């Protein structure tokens, strides 16, 4: 792996004529965030010789350094951990990286692509300025022609309103704060949310001796492996991960889909509601509210499980049809379909919070980006970002790394490459177009 | 996961105007204020446990609306409770509403997925322990202890496709949501 010396950590002077202490600096493109998405964009811009800087509030891979729990491994296999010009080259392509390994991977990538990262630089505002932008940061302003927002899709935990009515003596945590089970008091734990985060935490916390109640709404059930291969290989092969936003009926609906119920473990375990139930986890409907010190669970659990089972069978049928259509050799025949999700005859609907049974709650109810510093008219009435595959209505402003931005895999590490390549091409064309106009205007 | 809603023009006709539903969806996406509906029922005591509920007008699509005609529902209690049995019990009306909502959903989703329905029927069975309403045991709730809805559907579709219709209909049903999730209810006196 080629490295180019230590990563820059101090402010980089980006052009002649800027004296030390001048806090107003210029560049062509400001990329906000040095996670994998920002780094992939940096590599694409460098390839096009477009001058840019990455502004990062912490260090490269900050989210992985500061916001992940200890036992977490990627749920995507090593072969899928790839970015433009860089991929996993170890001996275990089917394994799953630990968080320190992800940090290492991204550090190596940043060095390999010589990403101009300004660390410890928090972006506080982005505003329009003449034909470009002013990016206000904790370290002064940057002027630029274009901005790429790559600050992450998971900066905040989306916590239901009911959380505010939790009695004060019950510990309440989001997955961004959770590190390990012994951070929690002894006694019962309610994990709200049955997607990747929720099932992983429910499994590890229950095994720590704290009885878990798992509140489950809509979820996407998939097995870790199918017909001899990782499910991610199949999702990739049949084209589901690469499905584009302009190919589906209702991208907004897909953007709201929860993550796959998956865990990356050396044993390639499948965690689903059946495995959790067998472990002793109590599965209930989604948290519907808290009233008079009682938590209420939706009565829709049975249907949520029926929907997930139906979608699972449809997915496996799609894979089987694809295999049949390709005459693939050496693929084992389809195993029996996974056992339908077992739902208690009488799932719990209410739980008295004062009884002492539940001592802590973890809200694994999803993540949201934090774009409170983006002062530009790119939000709709529901405060959702308006964009066409990452291209906003504000010329020169781009988004990267958001759910189903351009493809189903857009938030995955493996999704950044294609998106960054396409958006950097658009960005380059916009810059070229703008300077052409500028030139004509001046020439006239 | 794969394509959820098939949208090419189809041949199925379940009496649902799918183009209208699609355009309404687009319209309400652009004009969310028109999506604010207000439903009204006027209830009058007749005698004993008998009362009548009248549905006539409602508000929606940013205007006052009226049903084609006035609908009247009588509710009462059965003779075993020494009542006159002039109507279904209010609890049965809830079940009728649940089934009515789910069946409408089945038809709409089937239309959207181009599935021709030949017959749809549902049996709704709810259990409750009336010691709750009679105040005999405070640990027993007033409402249902369980509701079972069983559909029999004859359609041009596989068993899984039919199950998916019923599942999707629950996901989109107002009354299913009303029955399975808590609602803030304010009862006042004027
Ligand atoms: C628990 C969890 C598990 C995941 N597992 C996988 C997996 O197995 N495989 C996979 O492919 N994906 C996974 N993802 C999804 C995704 O890969 C990660 O969320 C990844 O971190 C996103 O990369 P990113 O570059 O888009 O954003 P981030 O990694 O979040 O990078 C954004 C960067 O921007 C910085 N930043 C944010 N705001 C500002 C600001 N105002 N000013 C300056 N800097 C700012 C942050 O510090 C951060 O370094 C997982 C996500 C989560 C939450």
């Amino acid at each position: 792996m080629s490295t180019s010396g230590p990563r820059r950590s101090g402010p980089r002077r980006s052009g002649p004529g800027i004296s030390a202490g001048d806090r107003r600096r210029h560049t062509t493109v400001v990329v906000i965030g040095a996670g994998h998405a920002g780094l992939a964009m940096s590599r694409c811009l460098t390839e096009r010789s477009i001058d840019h800087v990455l502004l990062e509030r912490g260090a490269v891979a900050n989210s992985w350094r500061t916001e992940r729990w200890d036992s977490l491994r990627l749920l995507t296999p090593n072969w899928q951990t790839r970015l433009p010009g860089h991929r996993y080259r170890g001996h275990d392509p089917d394994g799953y990286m630990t968080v320190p390994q992800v940090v290492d991977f991204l550090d190596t990538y940043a060095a390999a692509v010589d990403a101009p990262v300004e660390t410890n630089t928090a972006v506080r505002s982005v505003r329009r300025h003449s034909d470009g932008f002013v990016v206000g940061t904790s370290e002064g302003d940057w002027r630029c022609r274009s901005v790429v927002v790559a600050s992450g899709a998971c900066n905040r935990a989306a916590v239901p309103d009911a959380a505010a009515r939790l009695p004060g003596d019950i510990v309440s945590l989001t997955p961004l704060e959770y590190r390990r089970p012994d951070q929690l008091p002894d006694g019962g734990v309610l994990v709200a949310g049955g997607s990747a985060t929720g099932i992983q935490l429910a499994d590890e916390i229950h095994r720590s001796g704290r009885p878990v109640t798992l509140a489950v709404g809509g979820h996407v059930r998939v097995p870790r492996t199918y017909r001899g291969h990782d499910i991610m290989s199949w999702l990739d092969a049949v084209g589901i991960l690469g499905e584009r936003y302009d190919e589906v009926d209702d991208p907004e609906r897909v953007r709201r889909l929860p993550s796959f119920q998956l865990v990356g473990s050396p044993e390639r375990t499948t965690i689903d509601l059946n495995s959790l139930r067998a472990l002793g986890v109590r599965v209930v409907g989604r948290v519907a509210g808290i009233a008079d010190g009682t938590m209420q669970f939706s009565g829709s659990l049975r249907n949520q499980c029926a929907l997930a089972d139906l979608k699972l069978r449809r997915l496996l049928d799609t894979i089987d049809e694809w295999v049949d259509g390709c005459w693939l050799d050496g693929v084992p025949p389809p195993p029996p379909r996974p056992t339908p999700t077992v739902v208690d005859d009488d799932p719990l609907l209410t739980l008295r919070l004062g009884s002492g049974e539940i001592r802590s709650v973890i809200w694994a109810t999803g993540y949201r980006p934090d774009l409170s510093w983006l002062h530009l008219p790119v939000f709709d009435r529901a405060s959702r970002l308006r964009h066409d595959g990452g291209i906003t209505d504000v010329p020169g402003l781009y988004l990267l790394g958001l759910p189903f931005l351009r493809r189903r895999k857009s938030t995955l590490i493996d999704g950044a490459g294609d998106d960054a390549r396409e958006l950097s091409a658009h960005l380059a064309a916009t810059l070229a177009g703008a300077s052409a106009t500028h030139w004509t205007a001046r020439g006239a | 996961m794969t394509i959820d809603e098939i949208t090419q023009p189809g041949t199925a006709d379940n009496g649902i105007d799918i183009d209208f539903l699609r355009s309404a969806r687009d319209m309400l996406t652009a004009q969310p204020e028109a999506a604010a509906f207000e439903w009204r029922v006027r209830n009058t005591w007749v005698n004993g446990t008998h009362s009548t509920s009248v549905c006539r007008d409602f508000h929606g699509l940013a205007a006052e609306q009226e049903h084609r005609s006035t609908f009247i529902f009588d509710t009462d209690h059965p003779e075993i409770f020494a009542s006159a049995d002039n109507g279904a019990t209010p609890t049965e009306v809830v079940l009728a509403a649940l089934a009515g909502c789910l069946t409408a959903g089945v038809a709409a989703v089937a239309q959207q997925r181009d599935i021709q329905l030949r017959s749809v029927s549902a049996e709704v069975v709810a259990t409750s322990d009336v010691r709750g309403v009679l105040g005999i045991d405070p640990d027993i709730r007033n409402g249902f202890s369980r509701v079972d809805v069983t559909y029999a559907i004859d359609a041009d579709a596989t068993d899984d496709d039919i199950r998916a219709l019923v599942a999707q209909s629950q996901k989109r049903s107002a009354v299913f949501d009303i029955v399975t999730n808590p609602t803030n209810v304010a009862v006042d006196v004027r």
Side-chain angles (χ1 to χ4, degrees):
Chain A
M1 198 54 35
S2 84
T3 53
S4 59
R7 212 175 58 249
R8 293 175 190 88
S9 57
R12 190 170 88 131
R13 305 290 166 224
S14 66
I18 295 179
S19 60
D22 185 342
R23 308 308 269 163
R24 240 193 285 116
R25 284 153 292 174
H26 297 255
T27 185
T28 309
V29 183
V30 162
V31 178
I32 302 171
H36 77 252
L39 295 172
M41 179 53 90
S42 172
R43 146 89 191 207
C44 294
L45 294 173
T46 298
E47 261 183 344
R48 294 174 178 277
S49 306
I50 297 175
D51 183 39
H52 65 282
V53 65
L54 282 77
L55 304 183
E56 167 57 57
R57 62 180 168 188
V60 165
N62 186 58
S63 303
W64 296 101
R65 288 176 206 273
T66 63
E67 295 173 353
R68 306 283 187 260
W69 59 95
D70 293 353
S71 68
L72 177 68
R73 282 173 183 267
L74 290 190
L75 50 76
T76 42
N78 288 332
W79 62 261
Q80 213 176 14
T81 304
R82 53 192 177 191
L83 291 165
H86 192 64
R87 58 167 62 234
Y88 171 86
R89 287 186 204 284
H91 302 296
D92 186 15
D94 294 322
Y96 311 94
M97 284 186 194
T98 62
V99 170
Q101 287 169 330
V102 178
V103 171
D104 215 48
F105 180 86
L106 294 178
D107 266 341
T108 308
Y109 186 59
V113 303
D114 200 15
V117 183
E118 300 277 335
T119 54
N120 300 313
T121 303
V123 170
R124 292 186 175 149
S125 64
V126 175
R127 292 196 164 80
R128 210 89 184 81
H129 177 74
S130 62
D131 60 345
F133 301 88
V134 185
V135 179
T137 82
S138 55
E139 310 300 309
D141 288 354
W142 281 84
R143 294 254 168 98
C144 59
R145 308 251 317 273
S146 184
V147 169
V148 178
V149 176
S151 49
C154 306
N155 312 111
R156 280 187 183 161
V159 173
D161 296 341
R165 289 191 293 281
L166 212 56
D169 56 344
I170 293 183
V171 173
S172 174
L173 283 181
T174 72
L176 298 174
E177 300 153 343
Y178 171 84
R179 290 294 170 274
R180 67 197 74 85
D182 66 19
Q183 200 181 353
L184 304 174
D186 287 339
V189 182
L190 183 109
V191 177
S195 293
T197 298
I199 56 144
Q200 291 183 29
L201 299 190
D203 189 83
E204 109 171 356
I205 293 168
H206 194 83
R207 287 175 195 276
S208 81
R210 295 166 180 81
V212 167
T213 302
L214 179 65
V216 178
H219 57 279
V220 185
R221 182 184 179 196
V222 289
R224 180 72 265 182
T225 57
Y226 183 66
R227 297 184 72 175
H229 294 273
D230 197 287
I231 192 70
M232 282 294 167
S233 307
W234 291 120
L235 294 173
D236 193 49
V238 306
I240 290 176
L241 290 179
E243 197 175 12
R244 285 177 56 98
Y245 77 108
D246 44 11
E247 284 168 0
V248 301
D249 232 29
D250 183 358
E252 278 310 320
R253 189 187 58 80
V254 187
R255 283 178 182 141
R256 287 192 300 264
L257 282 182
S259 61
F260 296 113
Q261 274 184 342
L262 278 175
V263 59
S265 70
E267 302 78 24
R268 310 182 94 187
T269 326
T270 295
I271 301 184
D272 60 17
L273 298 183
N274 283 348
S275 79
L276 290 169
R277 199 171 186 278
L279 198 66
V281 169
R282 176 169 61 180
V283 179
V284 299
R286 63 188 283 274
V287 175
I290 296 178
D292 305 327
T294 297
M295 192 180 265
Q296 300 159 315
F297 306 113
S298 175
S300 64
L301 177 64
R302 198 176 309 273
N303 189 48
Q304 298 290 10
C305 294
L307 277 164
D309 287 349
L310 283 162
K311 284 187 181 180
L312 168 66
R313 290 206 288 273
R314 226 187 301 158
L315 170 68
L316 299 182
D317 288 347
T318 305
I319 295 172
D320 291 344
E321 282 160 25
W322 188 85
V323 172
D324 291 345
C326 293
W327 301 92
L328 275 191
D329 280 338
V331 177
R337 289 287 177 251
T339 323
T341 305
V342 181
V343 181
D344 279 344
D345 219 34
D346 220 354
L348 195 71
L349 292 171
T350 55
L351 184 59
R352 283 214 58 77
L353 293 168
S355 71
E357 189 190 336
I358 297 293
R359 305 294 311 285
S360 56
V361 176
I362 298 185
W363 300 101
T365 32
Y367 303 92
R368 298 282 178 275
D370 177 3
L371 298 167
S372 48
W373 39 265
L374 187 60
H375 305 121
L376 292 168
V378 288
F379 299 95
D380 69 11
R381 297 185 216 217
S383 308
R384 271 188 318 246
L385 279 164
R386 238 185 3 243
H387 65 93
D388 179 13
I391 302 160
T392 70
D393 304 340
V394 177
L397 180 73
Y398 296 87
L399 310 168
L400 195 57
L402 298 177
F404 203 54
L405 185 86
R406 299 182 68 80
R407 295 176 171 75
R408 203 176 282 264
K409 63 181 174 186
S410 282
T411 38
L412 297 181
I413 294 171
D414 192 30
D418 287 343
D419 289 4
R421 270 186 284 266
E422 290 170 6
L423 290 178
S424 62
H426 189 282
L427 188 156
T430 306
L431 288 177
S435 25
T437 333
H438 204 59
W439 180 251
T440 333
R442 261 199 297 189
Chain B
M1 169 143 311
T2 43
I3 303 146
D4 244 359
E5 308 295 341
I6 296 159
T7 47
Q8 68 264 30
T11 51
D13 180 5
N14 299 319
I16 300 272
D17 186 344
I18 210 71
D19 293 333
F20 170 78
L21 289 182
R22 282 214 188 94
S23 64
R25 194 168 179 274
D26 290 345
M27 194 269 276
L28 295 177
T29 307
Q31 286 167 259
E33 51 300 335
F37 272 63
E38 186 176 273
W39 303 103
R40 301 165 189 149
V41 173
R42 281 177 201 87
N43 177 271
T44 311
W45 175 58
V46 181
N47 185 37
T49 49
H50 180 201
S51 68
T52 57
S53 292
V54 177
C55 309
R56 182 182 307 125
D57 49 297
F58 56 98
H59 184 91
L61 303 182
E64 282 300 299
Q65 310 282 355
E66 215 157 278
H67 280 293
R68 206 162 49 86
S69 60
T70 299
F71 297 106
I72 300 170
F73 301 90
D74 284 280
T75 52
D76 201 353
H77 287 175
E79 288 177 338
I80 54 163
F81 288 126
S83 284
D85 208 359
N86 284 311
T89 63
T91 43
E92 289 164 311
V93 175
V94 171
L95 299 178
L98 176 63
C101 193
L102 290 175
T103 300
V106 165
V109 179
Q111 188 69 51
Q112 211 166 358
R113 297 182 180 182
D114 197 24
I115 293 173
Q116 181 63 53
L117 300 172
R118 281 186 290 271
S119 72
V120 179
S121 55
E123 203 158 312
V124 188
V125 178
T127 51
S128 70
D129 185 335
V130 297
R131 285 179 298 173
V133 275
L134 294 175
I136 297 169
D137 184 340
D139 290 335
I140 295 172
R141 71 180 283 187
N142 301 342
F144 303 126
S145 41
R146 182 184 170 113
V147 179
D148 282 286
V149 185
T150 313
Y151 269 94
I153 296 179
D154 182 16
D156 281 330
T158 65
D159 185 52
D160 262 7
D161 286 344
I162 289 174
R163 287 179 191 280
L165 289 182
V166 175
Q168 185 64 20
S169 159
Q170 290 169 74
K171 202 173 153 185
R172 288 276 156 264
S173 162
V175 182
F176 183 83
D177 176 46
I178 290 164
V179 174
T180 56
N181 294 313
T183 307
N184 247 326
V185 180
V187 180
D188 211 341
V189 177
R190 194 172 46 199

